[in-house]
mmCIF file of all heavy atoms in Angstrom:
data_model
loop_
_atom_site.group_PDB
_atom_site.id
_atom_site.type_symbol
_atom_site.label_atom_id
_atom_site.label_comp_id
_atom_site.label_asym_id
_atom_site.label_seq_id
_atom_site.Cartn_x
_atom_site.Cartn_y
_atom_site.Cartn_z
ATOM 1 N N ALA A 81 -38.223 -5.520 -34.919
ATOM 2 C CA ALA A 81 -37.447 -6.349 -34.055
ATOM 3 C C ALA A 81 -35.920 -5.921 -34.118
ATOM 4 O O ALA A 81 -35.249 -5.782 -33.106
ATOM 5 C CB ALA A 81 -37.598 -7.817 -34.406
ATOM 6 N N LEU A 82 -35.487 -5.748 -35.343
ATOM 7 C CA LEU A 82 -34.087 -5.357 -35.549
ATOM 8 C C LEU A 82 -33.821 -3.994 -34.889
ATOM 9 O O LEU A 82 -32.820 -3.741 -34.207
ATOM 10 C CB LEU A 82 -33.809 -5.227 -37.089
ATOM 11 C CG LEU A 82 -32.395 -4.675 -37.436
ATOM 12 C CD1 LEU A 82 -31.301 -5.573 -36.891
ATOM 13 C CD2 LEU A 82 -32.273 -4.458 -38.905
ATOM 14 N N LYS A 83 -34.803 -3.022 -35.085
ATOM 15 C CA LYS A 83 -34.598 -1.776 -34.503
ATOM 16 C C LYS A 83 -34.492 -1.859 -32.975
ATOM 17 O O LYS A 83 -33.620 -1.178 -32.308
ATOM 18 C CB LYS A 83 -35.759 -0.843 -34.875
ATOM 19 C CG LYS A 83 -35.519 0.643 -34.505
ATOM 20 C CD LYS A 83 -36.554 1.527 -35.102
ATOM 21 C CE LYS A 83 -36.350 2.934 -34.675
ATOM 22 N NZ LYS A 83 -37.516 3.800 -34.842
ATOM 23 N N ALA A 84 -35.368 -2.746 -32.360
ATOM 24 C CA ALA A 84 -35.342 -2.922 -30.902
ATOM 25 C C ALA A 84 -33.938 -3.470 -30.544
ATOM 26 O O ALA A 84 -33.384 -3.033 -29.504
ATOM 27 C CB ALA A 84 -36.404 -3.838 -30.490
ATOM 28 N N VAL A 85 -33.451 -4.343 -31.292
ATOM 29 C CA VAL A 85 -32.103 -4.941 -30.986
ATOM 30 C C VAL A 85 -31.057 -3.847 -30.991
ATOM 31 O O VAL A 85 -30.248 -3.725 -30.034
ATOM 32 C CB VAL A 85 -31.745 -6.049 -31.988
ATOM 33 C CG1 VAL A 85 -30.249 -6.385 -31.815
ATOM 34 C CG2 VAL A 85 -32.634 -7.251 -31.748
ATOM 35 N N VAL A 86 -31.051 -2.997 -32.075
ATOM 36 C CA VAL A 86 -30.011 -1.956 -32.188
ATOM 37 C C VAL A 86 -30.217 -0.931 -31.057
ATOM 38 O O VAL A 86 -29.216 -0.553 -30.434
ATOM 39 C CB VAL A 86 -30.117 -1.243 -33.523
ATOM 40 C CG1 VAL A 86 -29.135 -0.080 -33.601
ATOM 41 C CG2 VAL A 86 -29.831 -2.243 -34.651
ATOM 42 N N GLU A 87 -31.425 -0.586 -30.727
ATOM 43 C CA GLU A 87 -31.653 0.370 -29.614
ATOM 44 C C GLU A 87 -31.149 -0.270 -28.278
ATOM 45 O O GLU A 87 -30.518 0.425 -27.448
ATOM 46 C CB GLU A 87 -33.092 0.773 -29.508
ATOM 47 C CG GLU A 87 -33.430 1.781 -30.588
ATOM 48 C CD GLU A 87 -34.975 2.058 -30.688
ATOM 49 O OE1 GLU A 87 -35.777 1.263 -30.113
ATOM 50 O OE2 GLU A 87 -35.342 3.009 -31.403
ATOM 51 N N GLY A 88 -31.391 -1.531 -28.166
ATOM 52 C CA GLY A 88 -30.936 -2.223 -26.943
ATOM 53 C C GLY A 88 -29.416 -2.214 -26.891
ATOM 54 O O GLY A 88 -28.824 -1.976 -25.786
ATOM 55 N N LEU A 89 -28.817 -2.410 -28.039
ATOM 56 C CA LEU A 89 -27.311 -2.373 -28.043
ATOM 57 C C LEU A 89 -26.775 -1.004 -27.641
ATOM 58 O O LEU A 89 -25.824 -0.910 -26.888
ATOM 59 C CB LEU A 89 -26.754 -2.818 -29.420
ATOM 60 C CG LEU A 89 -26.977 -4.266 -29.850
ATOM 61 C CD1 LEU A 89 -26.630 -4.429 -31.389
ATOM 62 C CD2 LEU A 89 -26.066 -5.133 -29.007
ATOM 63 N N LEU A 90 -27.502 -0.028 -28.132
ATOM 64 C CA LEU A 90 -27.075 1.349 -27.810
ATOM 65 C C LEU A 90 -27.180 1.618 -26.296
ATOM 66 O O LEU A 90 -26.289 2.116 -25.680
ATOM 67 C CB LEU A 90 -27.891 2.347 -28.623
ATOM 68 C CG LEU A 90 -27.548 3.832 -28.375
ATOM 69 C CD1 LEU A 90 -26.057 4.124 -28.776
ATOM 70 C CD2 LEU A 90 -28.522 4.756 -29.038
ATOM 71 N N ASP A 91 -28.407 1.214 -25.769
ATOM 72 C CA ASP A 91 -28.642 1.410 -24.343
ATOM 73 C C ASP A 91 -27.538 0.752 -23.555
ATOM 74 O O ASP A 91 -27.001 1.299 -22.539
ATOM 75 C CB ASP A 91 -29.996 0.811 -23.916
ATOM 76 C CG ASP A 91 -31.123 1.765 -24.357
ATOM 77 O OD1 ASP A 91 -30.854 2.894 -24.747
ATOM 78 O OD2 ASP A 91 -32.272 1.328 -24.347
ATOM 79 N N GLU A 92 -27.251 -0.420 -23.956
ATOM 80 C CA GLU A 92 -26.235 -1.215 -23.234
ATOM 81 C C GLU A 92 -24.878 -0.480 -23.307
ATOM 82 O O GLU A 92 -24.222 -0.360 -22.238
ATOM 83 C CB GLU A 92 -26.067 -2.544 -23.917
ATOM 84 C CG GLU A 92 -25.893 -3.744 -22.918
ATOM 85 C CD GLU A 92 -25.918 -5.030 -23.763
ATOM 86 O OE1 GLU A 92 -27.030 -5.529 -24.013
ATOM 87 O OE2 GLU A 92 -24.801 -5.493 -24.069
ATOM 88 N N ALA A 93 -24.519 -0.008 -24.459
ATOM 89 C CA ALA A 93 -23.258 0.703 -24.640
ATOM 90 C C ALA A 93 -23.239 1.960 -23.873
ATOM 91 O O ALA A 93 -22.216 2.359 -23.269
ATOM 92 C CB ALA A 93 -22.985 0.991 -26.111
ATOM 93 N N LEU A 94 -24.365 2.681 -23.742
ATOM 94 C CA LEU A 94 -24.419 3.933 -23.030
ATOM 95 C C LEU A 94 -24.308 3.639 -21.507
ATOM 96 O O LEU A 94 -23.658 4.440 -20.800
ATOM 97 C CB LEU A 94 -25.685 4.644 -23.326
ATOM 98 C CG LEU A 94 -25.794 5.362 -24.703
ATOM 99 C CD1 LEU A 94 -27.166 5.913 -24.948
ATOM 100 C CD2 LEU A 94 -24.758 6.580 -24.637
ATOM 101 N N GLY A 95 -25.022 2.629 -21.081
ATOM 102 C CA GLY A 95 -25.155 2.410 -19.614
ATOM 103 C C GLY A 95 -24.094 1.572 -19.003
ATOM 104 O O GLY A 95 -23.903 1.747 -17.765
ATOM 105 N N SER A 96 -23.481 0.768 -19.717
ATOM 106 C CA SER A 96 -22.669 -0.234 -18.996
ATOM 107 C C SER A 96 -21.165 -0.081 -19.138
ATOM 108 O O SER A 96 -20.463 -1.022 -19.025
ATOM 109 C CB SER A 96 -23.081 -1.578 -19.582
ATOM 110 O OG SER A 96 -22.798 -1.647 -20.939
ATOM 111 N N GLY A 97 -20.672 1.110 -19.404
ATOM 112 C CA GLY A 97 -19.307 1.322 -19.429
ATOM 113 C C GLY A 97 -18.586 0.621 -20.532
ATOM 114 O O GLY A 97 -19.184 0.521 -21.656
ATOM 115 N N PRO A 98 -17.462 -0.002 -20.286
ATOM 116 C CA PRO A 98 -16.708 -0.578 -21.397
ATOM 117 C C PRO A 98 -17.452 -1.801 -22.000
ATOM 118 O O PRO A 98 -18.160 -2.519 -21.306
ATOM 119 C CB PRO A 98 -15.428 -1.087 -20.681
ATOM 120 C CG PRO A 98 -15.620 -0.929 -19.279
ATOM 121 C CD PRO A 98 -16.716 -0.028 -19.026
ATOM 122 N N SER A 99 -17.271 -1.942 -23.244
ATOM 123 C CA SER A 99 -17.960 -3.056 -24.013
ATOM 124 C C SER A 99 -17.404 -4.367 -23.628
ATOM 125 O O SER A 99 -16.288 -4.430 -23.046
ATOM 126 C CB SER A 99 -17.867 -2.787 -25.462
ATOM 127 O OG SER A 99 -16.514 -2.950 -25.876
ATOM 128 N N ASP A 100 -18.050 -5.405 -23.996
ATOM 129 C CA ASP A 100 -17.527 -6.764 -23.836
ATOM 130 C C ASP A 100 -16.182 -6.877 -24.510
ATOM 131 O O ASP A 100 -15.311 -7.484 -23.944
ATOM 132 C CB ASP A 100 -18.520 -7.767 -24.368
ATOM 133 C CG ASP A 100 -19.731 -7.932 -23.557
ATOM 134 O OD1 ASP A 100 -19.814 -7.240 -22.494
ATOM 135 O OD2 ASP A 100 -20.628 -8.694 -23.934
ATOM 136 N N ALA A 101 -16.020 -6.248 -25.679
ATOM 137 C CA ALA A 101 -14.808 -6.356 -26.416
ATOM 138 C C ALA A 101 -13.655 -5.723 -25.597
ATOM 139 O O ALA A 101 -12.613 -6.289 -25.494
ATOM 140 C CB ALA A 101 -14.916 -5.706 -27.816
ATOM 141 N N ALA A 102 -13.988 -4.552 -25.094
ATOM 142 C CA ALA A 102 -12.980 -3.833 -24.323
ATOM 143 C C ALA A 102 -12.604 -4.624 -23.095
ATOM 144 O O ALA A 102 -11.416 -4.760 -22.753
ATOM 145 C CB ALA A 102 -13.441 -2.481 -23.923
ATOM 146 N N LEU A 103 -13.601 -5.215 -22.467
ATOM 147 C CA LEU A 103 -13.348 -5.977 -21.270
ATOM 148 C C LEU A 103 -12.489 -7.252 -21.605
ATOM 149 O O LEU A 103 -11.567 -7.577 -20.916
ATOM 150 C CB LEU A 103 -14.703 -6.386 -20.628
ATOM 151 C CG LEU A 103 -15.348 -5.434 -19.799
ATOM 152 C CD1 LEU A 103 -16.657 -5.960 -19.270
ATOM 153 C CD2 LEU A 103 -14.452 -4.900 -18.614
ATOM 154 N N ALA A 104 -12.888 -7.875 -22.735
ATOM 155 C CA ALA A 104 -12.181 -9.089 -23.076
ATOM 156 C C ALA A 104 -10.690 -8.787 -23.361
ATOM 157 O O ALA A 104 -9.860 -9.553 -22.969
ATOM 158 C CB ALA A 104 -12.789 -9.672 -24.399
ATOM 159 N N ALA A 105 -10.484 -7.551 -23.941
ATOM 160 C CA ALA A 105 -9.086 -7.220 -24.206
ATOM 161 C C ALA A 105 -8.289 -7.062 -22.934
ATOM 162 O O ALA A 105 -7.126 -7.251 -22.877
ATOM 163 C CB ALA A 105 -9.003 -5.987 -25.056
ATOM 164 N N GLU A 106 -8.984 -6.547 -21.907
ATOM 165 C CA GLU A 106 -8.292 -6.266 -20.649
ATOM 166 C C GLU A 106 -8.367 -7.383 -19.622
ATOM 167 O O GLU A 106 -7.678 -7.391 -18.652
ATOM 168 C CB GLU A 106 -8.967 -5.043 -19.962
ATOM 169 C CG GLU A 106 -8.470 -3.732 -20.376
ATOM 170 C CD GLU A 106 -9.259 -2.611 -19.698
ATOM 171 O OE1 GLU A 106 -9.666 -2.848 -18.510
ATOM 172 O OE2 GLU A 106 -9.394 -1.561 -20.301
ATOM 173 N N ALA A 107 -9.202 -8.391 -19.940
ATOM 174 C CA ALA A 107 -9.503 -9.386 -18.941
ATOM 175 C C ALA A 107 -8.222 -10.111 -18.430
ATOM 176 O O ALA A 107 -7.255 -10.195 -19.109
ATOM 177 C CB ALA A 107 -10.391 -10.463 -19.540
ATOM 178 N N ILE A 108 -8.300 -10.438 -17.164
ATOM 179 C CA ILE A 108 -7.129 -11.131 -16.560
ATOM 180 C C ILE A 108 -7.223 -12.623 -16.876
ATOM 181 O O ILE A 108 -8.301 -13.227 -16.620
ATOM 182 C CB ILE A 108 -7.157 -10.927 -15.027
ATOM 183 C CG1 ILE A 108 -6.973 -9.416 -14.690
ATOM 184 C CG2 ILE A 108 -6.130 -11.776 -14.300
ATOM 185 C CD1 ILE A 108 -7.316 -9.037 -13.298
ATOM 186 N N ASP A 109 -6.219 -13.099 -17.408
ATOM 187 C CA ASP A 109 -6.150 -14.527 -17.692
ATOM 188 C C ASP A 109 -5.612 -15.230 -16.462
ATOM 189 O O ASP A 109 -4.400 -15.225 -16.173
ATOM 190 C CB ASP A 109 -5.280 -14.812 -18.912
ATOM 191 C CG ASP A 109 -5.247 -16.274 -19.230
ATOM 192 O OD1 ASP A 109 -5.682 -17.100 -18.427
ATOM 193 O OD2 ASP A 109 -4.704 -16.628 -20.271
ATOM 194 N N ILE A 110 -6.481 -15.813 -15.704
ATOM 195 C CA ILE A 110 -6.095 -16.360 -14.380
ATOM 196 C C ILE A 110 -5.239 -17.617 -14.579
ATOM 197 O O ILE A 110 -4.721 -18.191 -13.588
ATOM 198 C CB ILE A 110 -7.302 -16.670 -13.488
ATOM 199 C CG1 ILE A 110 -8.200 -17.692 -14.126
ATOM 200 C CG2 ILE A 110 -8.024 -15.386 -13.146
ATOM 201 C CD1 ILE A 110 -9.183 -18.285 -13.118
ATOM 202 N N THR A 111 -5.115 -18.106 -15.784
ATOM 203 C CA THR A 111 -4.263 -19.296 -15.997
ATOM 204 C C THR A 111 -2.812 -18.902 -16.176
ATOM 205 O O THR A 111 -1.937 -19.748 -16.162
ATOM 206 C CB THR A 111 -4.745 -20.096 -17.174
ATOM 207 O OG1 THR A 111 -4.566 -19.330 -18.408
ATOM 208 C CG2 THR A 111 -6.223 -20.484 -17.013
ATOM 209 N N LEU A 112 -2.526 -17.606 -16.454
ATOM 210 C CA LEU A 112 -1.138 -17.204 -16.614
ATOM 211 C C LEU A 112 -0.455 -17.134 -15.300
ATOM 212 O O LEU A 112 -1.069 -16.791 -14.290
ATOM 213 C CB LEU A 112 -1.140 -15.814 -17.260
ATOM 214 C CG LEU A 112 -1.448 -15.709 -18.770
ATOM 215 C CD1 LEU A 112 -1.531 -14.230 -19.203
ATOM 216 C CD2 LEU A 112 -0.441 -16.460 -19.615
ATOM 217 N N PRO A 113 0.845 -17.319 -15.258
ATOM 218 C CA PRO A 113 1.602 -17.174 -13.981
ATOM 219 C C PRO A 113 1.510 -15.705 -13.611
ATOM 220 O O PRO A 113 1.571 -14.805 -14.467
ATOM 221 C CB PRO A 113 3.002 -17.534 -14.334
ATOM 222 C CG PRO A 113 3.090 -17.764 -15.773
ATOM 223 C CD PRO A 113 1.715 -17.779 -16.359
ATOM 224 N N GLY A 114 1.448 -15.423 -12.302
ATOM 225 C CA GLY A 114 1.299 -14.026 -11.805
ATOM 226 C C GLY A 114 2.602 -13.234 -11.963
ATOM 227 O O GLY A 114 3.676 -13.824 -12.274
ATOM 228 N N THR A 115 2.513 -11.942 -11.759
ATOM 229 C CA THR A 115 3.694 -11.072 -11.723
ATOM 230 C C THR A 115 4.413 -11.361 -10.360
ATOM 231 O O THR A 115 3.834 -11.246 -9.367
ATOM 232 C CB THR A 115 3.337 -9.563 -11.740
ATOM 233 O OG1 THR A 115 2.334 -9.418 -12.820
ATOM 234 C CG2 THR A 115 4.523 -8.664 -11.971
ATOM 235 N N ARG A 116 5.652 -11.703 -10.511
ATOM 236 C CA ARG A 116 6.409 -12.012 -9.267
ATOM 237 C C ARG A 116 6.852 -10.784 -8.555
ATOM 238 O O ARG A 116 7.563 -9.956 -9.135
ATOM 239 C CB ARG A 116 7.682 -12.846 -9.605
ATOM 240 C CG ARG A 116 7.373 -14.257 -9.468
ATOM 241 C CD ARG A 116 8.267 -14.902 -8.454
ATOM 242 N NE ARG A 116 8.413 -16.253 -8.971
ATOM 243 C CZ ARG A 116 9.538 -16.896 -8.999
ATOM 244 N NH1 ARG A 116 10.587 -16.322 -8.452
ATOM 245 N NH2 ARG A 116 9.547 -18.109 -9.516
#
Side-chain angles (χ1 to χ4, degrees):
L82 173 64
K83 192 171 176 198
V85 166
V86 174
E87 284 169 349
L89 290 171
L90 179 66
D91 284 347
E92 221 174 276
L94 284 172
S96 62
S99 66
D100 287 355
L103 282 178
E106 275 178 31
I108 295 166
D109 181 349
I110 61 165
T111 66
L112 286 173
T115 310
R116 264 241 211 138

